[in-house]
Amino acid sequence: MEKPFSTGLVWFRRDLRTDDHTALEEARARCRQVHCVFVLDTEILDGLPRADRRVEFILACLTALDGDLQALGGDPACGLIVTHARAVDELPRLARELGAQAVFTARDYEPKACGRDAKVRGVLAAQGISFVAVKDQVVFEGMEVATLAGGPYTVFTPYKNAWLKKVGDWPLVGADPQPAASQPAGSLLPRPEHYRRAVPALAAIGFEATNMASLKIPAGQAGAQQLFADFFQRMDSYHETRDYPAVKGPSYLGVHLRFGTVSIRKLVATAMARSAQGRPGAAVWLSELVWREFYFSILANFPQVAERAFKPAYDRIEWEKGARAKSLFAAWCEGRTGYPLVDAAMAQINQTGYMHNRLRMVAASFLVKHLGLDWRWGEQYFATHLNDFDLAANNGGWQWVASSGCDAQPYFRIFNPVAQSEKFDAAGKFIRRYVPQLARLTDAQIHAPWTVPSLALHEAGVRLGENYPRPVVDHVAARAQTLARYSVVKSIR
C-alpha cells in the first residue's frame, strides 16, 4: 500500500528518545522519509531563570537523542534538527522548508501547550500540511478511562481499578497498533547541510551553568535505562523504603518521565509483570505510576485546576497576606523555618532540584497548614525549582495537601513535622546531610532542637536564633489557626 505522505516531520517535545516512540513510529509508518526536529521554544525559555538545571538536562538529552537518531538512520547526517525560536512560527516554517506534508508529534495536555498546538495546527492547515498528534506520555488519555456514566473519575481508587482492568489486555510494550505498521518503516532523511551542527551550548541560548554537572544525573534514554536497571534491583522492596529520604528507595526516574527519555508503557509493563508475581514493592510502584496517569486525566478534563481549586469552595479560604506572609514564605523557601525536616527538604530542592516524595508532602503541608500560605505560592516555587516539574503531578500534589483537590486529604489532616521527622528520619541522617549545623545533636534531639536543654545545645554548637532559627510558628497554635481558616469549607468532605 502506498504511504500517504512523501515527507514527514517529527516534532520532539516531552519524548526525547527513539525507543517505543509513538510519533516517530507513526511518521515512519505513514511517510516514505522523515526529518526530526526539536525547537528550543523561546516562549518557554524566556520565562525561566537564566540558571536552570532543566535546560542543561534537556541539552544533554538532545545531544544523546541526536546520536540515537544518527544510529537509527545509519548515517551521521541523519540526526536531530535543533533550532532556537518561537515554536508556533518555527514549526510551520521548517515544514515548508523541508517539504513536509505532515507534522507528527506526541500530544501534550497542559493548557498552554494545547493552545500552542492549536495555533500550529491552524497555520499548518492553511499551508495544506497535516498535523498528526498521537498519545505517548501516558498509557490512557482524556476519557479513555471513564465512569459507567461516561464521565471522568475524580476519586483515585475507582480510577485505579478501572485503569488496571482496561490495561489488562492492552499491548503495553510498543505503541498502539496501527494499520500501516506492517509496511516498511520510512527512512530518516539526512539533514540539510546548514542543520548538521551540534546542539547549542547554554550560553548560545542565553543561559548560565548551574551545578547540574556535579549532580551526575544520567541523561538521554541510555541514562534512563541505567537508572531503571538500578531501580529494578530494588523494586521489590520499594514499599518498605520509599518513605525514608535517607534511604535509596525511589526510582529517581521522575525527570526522565518528565522529558520522555523513558517509555511509560515499558515501565508499566515491567511493574505489572513483577506485581503479578506477588512482589508488593512492584505493586506499590505501579500504583504510583497510576497516580501519575490520574493527575494527567484530571488536568485534561478539568483544565481550570491549573489556576483554581478543584473544589471551588476552597477558593473562599483567606490565606495569610502582607509583610508577615512574605516573611514566612521567604523562611520556607530558604529553609529557615526552625523545623529541621522541613528545612532539610528545602535545602535538598534548592541544592539539587530534587525533593524526596515524602518530603514534598511534609514541606507542602507545612507551607499551607502551618504558615497559612496559599498553596499556589508553593506550587509555583516547586514549578521553578524541581528538575522533574510536571504541571499535572505538581498541581495534583499541592491540591491534595491543601485539601482543595480531587480525592485530597481531609482539611483537618495536618502533618506534625516533628512526628514525621521522628518516623521517617529517625536517626537524623537526612537532616544532618542538609542541615549540617545540627549534626552534633543526638538522634533524639535533632528533630526539635528548640526543646533541647541549653547546655546540650551549647555542647553541640547549636545557637538558636544565630546559626539555626527558632521555629517560625508553634505547631499547636498553627493547627488551631488552620482549623479555623478551613472552617468556611468544613462541611465539604
Side-chain angles (χ1 to χ4, degrees):
M1 181 183 296
E2 180 68 17
K3 294 186 177 183
F5 303 111
S6 170
T7 303
L9 177 61
V10 179
W11 180 15
F12 285 80
R13 289 110 66 96
R14 294 183 50 165
D15 46 2
L16 305 182
R17 67 184 190 283
T18 56
D19 176 55
D20 188 30
H21 190 290
T22 54
L24 181 60
E25 291 175 7
E26 181 79 357
R28 297 185 73 197
R30 297 176 62 182
C31 305
R32 291 194 294 276
Q33 49 194 11
V34 175
H35 282 295
C36 299
V37 64
F38 183 92
V39 179
L40 291 158
D41 192 343
T42 54
E43 281 198 305
I44 297 174
L45 296 180
D46 288 351
L48 298 178
R50 291 302 87 188
D52 192 304
R53 297 182 185 93
R54 293 165 296 189
V55 177
E56 288 185 68
F57 184 79
I58 289 170
L59 293 182
C61 289
L62 293 179
T63 298
L65 177 59
D66 182 37
D68 293 335
L69 287 169
Q70 291 177 31
L72 185 63
D75 183 347
C78 296
L80 184 68
I81 296 172
V82 180
T83 66
H84 181 221
R86 188 168 174 260
V88 293
D89 301 323
E90 186 72 349
L91 258 296
R93 187 198 68 76
L94 273 172
R96 290 194 306 271
E97 178 185 348
L98 300 172
Q101 293 89 48
V103 171
F104 296 80
T105 196
R107 264 188 291 275
D108 203 327
Y109 308 100
E110 297 184 3
K112 289 183 180 179
C114 292
R116 173 202 61 203
D117 290 355
K119 291 178 182 178
V120 171
R121 181 190 294 273
V123 175
L124 290 174
Q127 297 175 185
I129 300 172
S130 297
F131 184 82
V132 182
V134 298
K135 178 177 61 178
D136 185 79
Q137 60 180 290
V138 292
V139 174
F140 297 121
E141 65 180 1
M143 292 294 294
E144 287 188 309
V145 178
T147 66
L148 293 177
Y153 281 96
T154 58
V155 178
F156 175 69
T157 299
Y159 174 87
K160 175 184 173 181
N161 293 337
W163 190 97
L164 291 172
K165 182 178 180 180
K166 188 175 181 66
V167 85
D169 298 323
W170 196 74
L172 283 170
V173 181
D176 288 313
Q178 298 292 338
S182 60
Q183 298 180 13
S187 61
L188 297 186
L189 272 170
R191 293 166 288 181
E193 190 70 38
H194 58 287
Y195 288 124
R196 297 179 196 176
R197 54 183 183 239
V199 172
L202 274 174
I205 58 172
F207 283 83
E208 305 166 4
T210 68
N211 67 336
M212 194 65 172
S214 66
L215 298 175
K216 298 181 180 178
I217 301 173
Q221 64 183 3
Q225 291 164 4
Q226 175 187 331
L227 287 177
F228 184 62
D230 178 72
F231 176 63
F232 185 79
Q233 306 301 317
R234 301 179 280 109
M235 185 187 297
D236 292 347
S237 60
Y238 176 75
H239 62 301
E240 299 173 332
T241 60
R242 69 186 184 121
D243 280 319
Y244 300 90
V247 175
K248 191 178 181 181
S251 69
Y252 304 108
L253 285 167
V255 68
H256 287 279
L257 279 167
R258 170 62 180 87
F259 294 108
T261 50
V262 66
S263 162
I264 182 60
R265 290 171 293 280
K266 291 195 171 183
L267 296 185
V268 167
T270 303
M272 288 186 68
R274 299 292 287 181
S275 180
Q277 295 171 10
R279 311 300 176 93
V284 172
W285 191 58
L286 174 62
S287 185
E288 293 300 301
L289 295 178
V290 182
W291 267 108
R292 176 180 178 271
E293 297 260 319
F294 178 61
Y295 284 141
F296 266 110
S297 172
I298 293 297
L299 180 63
N301 291 297
F302 304 95
Q304 68 270 20
V305 299
E307 298 179 354
R308 303 190 298 277
F310 178 83
K311 300 172 184 174
Y314 280 74
D315 279 332
R316 293 161 49 197
I317 293 173
E318 291 290 331
W319 303 108
E320 294 288 335
K321 295 181 175 65
R324 173 166 168 75
K326 293 178 181 178
S327 175
L328 290 173
F329 183 60
W332 180 83
C333 293
E334 297 165 14
R336 296 185 288 102
T337 70
Y339 285 84
L341 189 64
V342 175
D343 293 341
M346 298 308 297
Q348 183 181 42
I349 190 175
N350 291 334
Q351 294 173 25
T352 72
Y354 171 79
M355 187 187 290
H356 187 277
N357 188 60
R358 166 58 58 175
L359 301 185
R360 296 187 195 202
M361 292 188 287
V362 172
S365 178
F366 190 86
L367 177 91
V368 176
K369 294 183 176 178
H370 278 76
L371 304 184
L373 301 179
D374 192 330
W375 57 268
R376 296 168 188 82
W377 291 18
E379 180 194 25
Q380 183 56 51
Y381 193 82
F382 275 21
T384 302
H385 290 81
L386 282 174
N387 298 333
D388 62 3
F389 163 66
D390 186 291
L391 176 58
N394 191 51
N395 178 270
W398 274 95
Q399 294 223 38
W400 182 89
V401 161
S403 304
S404 63
C406 58
D407 202 14
Q409 67 170 347
Y411 76 92
F412 50 80
R413 184 183 179 194
I414 301 171
F415 285 144
N416 181 328
V418 175
Q420 291 284 310
S421 184
E422 292 172 339
K423 183 175 182 179
F424 297 111
D425 191 32
K429 184 177 179 180
F430 182 82
I431 292 173
R432 288 186 175 89
R433 177 176 179 181
Y434 285 102
V435 191
Q437 60 267 46
L438 302 180
R440 290 166 56 192
L441 292 174
T442 68
D443 294 355
Q445 296 169 340
I446 199 168
H447 308 287
W450 65 92
T451 66
V452 177
S454 298
L455 180 58
L457 286 175
H458 176 75
E459 291 175 345
V462 178
R463 300 182 302 280
L464 293 181
E466 296 181 29
N467 66 349
Y468 188 70
R470 299 180 187 278
V472 292
V473 292
D474 173 76
H475 169 67
V476 174
R479 187 178 191 280
Q481 290 175 341
T482 291
L483 293 177
R485 178 175 286 112
Y486 274 76
S487 63
V488 295
V489 291
K490 66 182 179 181
S491 62
I492 299 176
R493 298 290 187 268

